[in-house]
Amino acid sequence: MSDNSPSFLQQESPDHPGWVTWELSDPTRFNSLLGPLLLRVEGDVARVQMTPRHEHSNLQDNLHGGALLAFIDIALFAASRGFGVIEAGTAVTLDLAVQFIGAGKVGAPLEARVELLRETGRLLFLRGLVVQGDGTVASFSGTIRKPTRR
């Protein structure tokens, strides 16, 4: 799986068979703060993975809520690209609802499991869970407005 979009680098991960790396081509953009993500689509579910680092932690040495929200937001877009329903980088989040369920830990892979509920001409409705190990960290739902074709 290869993506030739100039805004995104997406290629087979040499270290994670069956996964692709997903990151912006411009490392000075916000998304790069989370590091390269891994993406794998399995039927109706896109799995998006990151490994939280110390800079993503709060004073309790857990994953900071803001870092988790950013990861979920970016995971919606990585999943949508994985599903093949958006290509351009100019889609926008219209809403994002998150329920924090447990603490995320630094150093262990964190995974958003994203489902596409419905696609209309302009909108994508998605939901999912963020899991780490055997625990659930958060649940979420969001709406993305697809990019305007030029």
Side-chain angles (χ1 to χ4, degrees):
M1 176 185 226
S2 179
D3 186 349
N4 295 324
S5 171
S7 299
F8 294 90
L9 302 174
Q10 186 171 321
Q11 58 192 2
E12 297 290 332
S13 172
D15 300 325
H16 301 90
W19 294 78
V20 296
T21 58
W22 192 85
E23 60 187 315
L24 290 178
S25 58
D26 181 352
T28 65
R29 302 281 181 187
F30 180 81
N31 293 34
S32 297
L33 295 175
L34 299 179
L37 302 179
L38 293 171
L39 171 65
R40 180 180 188 146
V41 177
E42 297 176 342
D44 295 340
V45 176
R47 296 170 59 192
V48 183
Q49 193 175 98
M50 73 168 284
T51 300
R53 301 181 305 267
H54 177 75
E55 60 265 30
H56 303 128
S57 68
N58 61 22
L59 294 176
Q60 295 177 335
D61 286 325
N62 292 318
L63 181 61
H64 189 285
L68 181 59
L69 287 166
F71 170 61
I72 291 169
D73 185 59
I74 294 167
L76 293 175
F77 290 86
S80 296
R81 289 176 62 84
F83 291 136
V85 294
I86 62 171
E87 292 179 14
T90 58
V92 296
T93 305
L94 294 181
D95 69 63
L96 177 60
V98 177
Q99 297 75 43
F100 297 100
I101 297 171
K105 302 297 180 193
V106 172
L110 185 73
E111 185 173 295
R113 296 181 181 162
V114 184
E115 296 176 84
L116 176 62
L117 298 176
R118 183 165 185 227
E119 177 183 10
T120 68
R122 298 284 296 140
L123 302 175
L124 302 172
F125 299 90
L126 304 114
R127 72 172 173 197
L129 294 175
V130 177
V131 297
Q132 192 173 48
D134 292 332
T136 301
V137 176
S139 65
F140 60 88
S141 62
T143 308
I144 292 176
R145 186 184 59 153
K146 294 190 272 186
T148 303
R149 300 267 181 212
R150 295 178 196 232

